[in-house]
Every structure is written in C-alpha cells, then in structure tokens.
Amino acid sequence: MSQSKYIFVTGGVTSSLGKGIIAASLAKLLQSRGYRVTIQKFDPYLNVDPGTLNPYEHGECYVTEDGAETDLDLGHYERFLNVPTSQANNVTTGRVYQTVIENERKGVYLGKTVQVIPHITDEIKRRMLVLGESGDYDIVITEIGGTVGDIESLPYVESMRQLIWELGDSNAIVVHLTLVPYLKAAGELKTKPTQHSVKSLLELGVQPDILVCRTEHPLSPDLKKKLALFCNVQGNSVIEARDLKTIYEVPMAMLKEKLDKVVLAKLKLKSSNEPNLEQWSNFLFRLEHPKSEVKIALVGKYVELPDAYKSISEAFIHAGAAKECEVQVTYIHSEYLSPENVESKLKGFAGILVAPGFGSRGIEGKLTAVKYARENKIPFFGICLGMQISVIEFARNVVGFSDAHSSEMSADTTHPVIALMEEQKEMENYGGTMRLGAYDCELVKGSHAAKAYGKTKISERHRHRYEFNNEFKEAVQSAGMKITGTNPKTGLAEIVEVENHPWFVGVQFHPELKSTVENPHPLFVGFVGAALNFKG
Ligand code: GLN
C-alpha cells in the first residue's frame, strides 16, 4: 500500500458549489507548507473523456501536457499549484467501464460475472491510488464529481468507502462541501440541507471528517456547533466558506479558517512548517490594487457560457496582475457580428481576441473582427481557430484569394489555406484523435512572440485537427503575414504575425492552458501590454 495520504472531496446539496476551487485552495495551503500535493478528479459521466463534449455542457475542455482532454477543474489545479497534471488526474465513468469491458474481452476475469461491485469499484480504487503509488506525492486530493445522492456517483462513493477502510485510520479523510442557504423571509441560515446530505453519505457508509460550508453570511459559533453536533463532526471541523470577490482569495480564507491545520491533524501530518504564501499574497495584492484598466473584446461563439473560455479569462487575470491593471473582458458573440455593426460593437476596445472553436457557426463574425483589428491597428490575439481565421482573413483581403478558407468549413475552396494534415485524414474516431498536448516551437528572433517569451525555444499545448497549409506559405509571407513560430520537427506553422501592426499575433496552440498565478503567460502579458500602449 502506498505511503501517500488521501483526501476525498465530495459535494452535497447542489452542484456548482466550487469543489474544484476548494480542492485547489486546500492543495495550495498544503503545498505552501512543503508537502508534495496533487489533485485528481473523477467525473461520473459516460464519455471516455470530455473531448467530445460541446463546451455548453461542462465548459471548456482542458488539455494537459501529455495530451489528455480533461475537465476544466484541472485548469484550476494547475493555475493554483503551478504543477502540471496528466491523464491520470482525470477519470470518467466511461473510461473506467472501457477498461473493465476491455479486460472482460481479454478474459482477465477468468469466467466470473463482471459486476459494478467488485469490478467497477476495484478499477476506480486502482485509479484513485495510481498517483499516490507513483511516490511523487505526499498527499493526493480526489475530487468526486457530481453531488452525493446522484445515482451516477454511487460507485465512486462506494470505492471511497472501501479505500478509507483499507487505508486505515488517519490515512484518508473526507471533506464534504455543502451549502448553508440563507432564507430571507426567515432571516436565517438553514442547516437542514447539510444535515440531509451528510445523512445520504452516512447511508452509503461514509462519515465526513470535515464540512466546508458555502454561505453568503457568516456562520455563528452556535450554528457551527449545531452543524457539528447533527453531522457528527468535531467542533473545529466545520469550516465557513463565504462568497468572495475572486477565487484567488479562497486559499487565504481557508487559511484563516484553519482548514489546512485541521486536515493535517486528522492525517497525523505535522503542521509545524508555517505556510509560505508570499508569492500568492503579492499576486493578490496586485490583483486587488490595479493602477489602470484596459478593455478587451473576446470574440467567440460560446459566449453565453463564460466557462467555455475559463482558461482564457483566468490568463487575463494573471496577466492583468503582472501589469498591475484590471483587464475588463467583454464577450462578443461572433454570430451577431457583421461588417455593418462591427464599428459599434468593437469600437473602444484596446485589444481584440478571437477565440478557439469548432465548426462553421459564427465564422463570418470572427473574420469581421480580425479585419477590423488588422485595419485599425488594434492589438490582436488569435488563439487556435482564432489564428486560423486570421490567416483566412489575410489570404482573402490582403493576398487576394477571395475564396480562401479552412477545409473544415469549406471542402471545395480553391485556396484551403488551413487544411487537414495527411495523418488526420485517416482518422475514423472523433475522440482523442486531434493534435493534442505539448509540442516544441521555435520562434523567429525579434518577433513579438520572441520578445514576449524572452527566448526562442518554447513548448505549448495543442488541440486541433487543421493546420496552416504550407503550400500558401510563400504567398502569405510575401504579402506581410510572417510565420514567427514553427514546429522544428514537422515544419508546421505555429505562430503568425502581421507586419506593420502594433501587435497582431495568432497562435495555433493554446497558451491560456499554461498560465498560472506564479507564471502568467508571456503572450497574455505581451497582449495586455500592447493593449495598454494602444490605449495610452
Ligand atoms: N477547429 C479548429 C481545428 O480543429 C480549431 C480548434 C480549436 O480552436 N481548438 O483545427
């Protein structure tokens, strides 16, 4: 059995309480005391990974270094901890069943009837322990997706119950995140929903060790005592989690509530090393005391659900803090953007970002936004599809290929400036078959990109099927759009920049995925800097 300690985070009463942020904040506090911590998430849906999900379902798909398509909570883990995650950090029910069914076909179960218990639960337990057994971590935090009581999460709760028993006293604990709602008419905070959700856990054989209570109002000592008594936890184990201005304040709030100390005591780990949160506090101070502000337009088609652009909006927060300015991001729906209204919709922004995406919807609006930014010399940042659109716009309006397009949107264009690579043409399955994960890129000295990074060799994460078509490299470059970043192995164009423009950068990769509190992404910092100059 492994040496690591395990913390399970469950959610009760309702979804969207922020289990991911609580898990990441607790992890941050433990890390700041010198522990090696990682967080993993178990999602109860049947998709093998969220790569095939529409962003409207669960928000953006976060991609790890090793090319796993994962839940957006992994983005929070990386932004808080500044440590990369991997495929092992995100498991879905679909993946668990896939393994078990493949095993069954191989005859691994020796003629037994294959069942949820023990076969599915054993596979879940194996995956819950994998990161701990690597020896790389002192503490593994496991976030169980969904809400306790859901049919879908039952096998996870059962696996957790078994593991807690197997790992033995003080090696595994449960932190239950719950809601203590305020009833305006009664003028009171109500504990009953929490009592019920703890009761559901108890029916499944799990006693939570710590309650973290989301609340809009302070929990009085009496109320904490009541919760402790009726939910059978120690008095110091009822933690208040008030609504805060930014998620980045949560670690500090949890520190004040001594969540880390209570956890360490229960795991019999020493808490003598005081947390070192100097960098974090500096970041928070800069975030909360901006010296200026800058307005950025984010043009995309999933703007009804800002979670679809989670990593981009967080990267702006990091870059803003670095530049001591408040970045105000306005979401502009690309479907409703046209040459007729572009002036009224985009005027006044000091920077325009065209977002990643898939499919034809909203493409014309994105082309309009690129043209507007290019012609008016407004700082422009195109990410993935946004970069591809910037190439199409340039090919059409500057090079003169009037039907230029991506073969994703138009199969019969005579100028497929963005096209499928050979290896992608043979793909039969949609899941997990894009160009995914980290790839090296070499930058041209003196380019905006090289200036932003301060070096010429970088590595960034990808998630796309289509590429800049090198057949048109000559035509595009000689007209003034330069390829300033190239994959050294394949020769694929990874970055384009338009000449004679203050800052026009399109990147085929997803820089937002690598921006963290401690390492704000250089391109976002560069873009915000350019927007500040433009405004000035
Ligand atoms: N749809 C484009 C492609 O597959 C861009 C993908 C993206 O923006 N992530 O290449």
Side-chain angles (χ1 to χ4, degrees), residues 355-359 383-386 388 406 408-409 418 434 463-467 508 510:
F358 294 84
I383 299 184
C384 207
L385 179 63
Q388 299 177 352
S406 161
E408 179 179 9
M409 280 40 112
I418 305 293
M434 284 188 257
R463 180 175 189 249
H464 55 102
R465 235 177 260 291
Y466 296 82
E467 308 277 356
Q508 185 57 83
H510 289 270

Side-chain angles (χ1 to χ4, degrees), residues 188-216:
E188 268 180 343
L189 286 166
K190 291 295 182 188
T191 65
K192 195 73 84 188
T194 298
Q195 294 182 43
H196 277 291
S197 84
V198 170
K199 204 168 132 192
S200 309
L201 263 182
L202 285 169
E203 278 168 11
L204 302 171
V206 175
Q207 166 66 56
D209 298 278
I210 296 171
L211 298 179
V212 176
C213 307
R214 282 299 300 274
T215 169
E216 289 171 17

Side-chain angles (χ1 to χ4, degrees), residues 208-266:
D209 298 278
I210 296 171
L211 298 179
V212 176
C213 307
R214 282 299 300 274
T215 169
E216 289 171 17
H217 298 275
L219 303 181
S220 67
D222 277 351
L223 200 117
K224 280 190 165 181
K225 207 164 155 189
K226 183 173 167 187
L227 277 166
L229 178 66
F230 290 120
C231 299
N232 205 23
V233 300
Q234 286 172 342
N236 68 355
S237 303
V238 179
I239 305 289
E240 172 186 304
R242 290 269 290 286
D243 296 349
L244 296 165
K245 278 207 301 290
T246 134
I247 55 170
Y248 298 106
E249 285 178 359
V250 180
M252 297 311 194
M254 292 301 103
L255 181 69
K256 246 189 227 145
E257 283 285 302
K258 303 192 171 63
L259 174 61
D260 55 333
K261 276 204 153 166
V262 176
V263 162
L264 289 172
K266 290 194 191 295

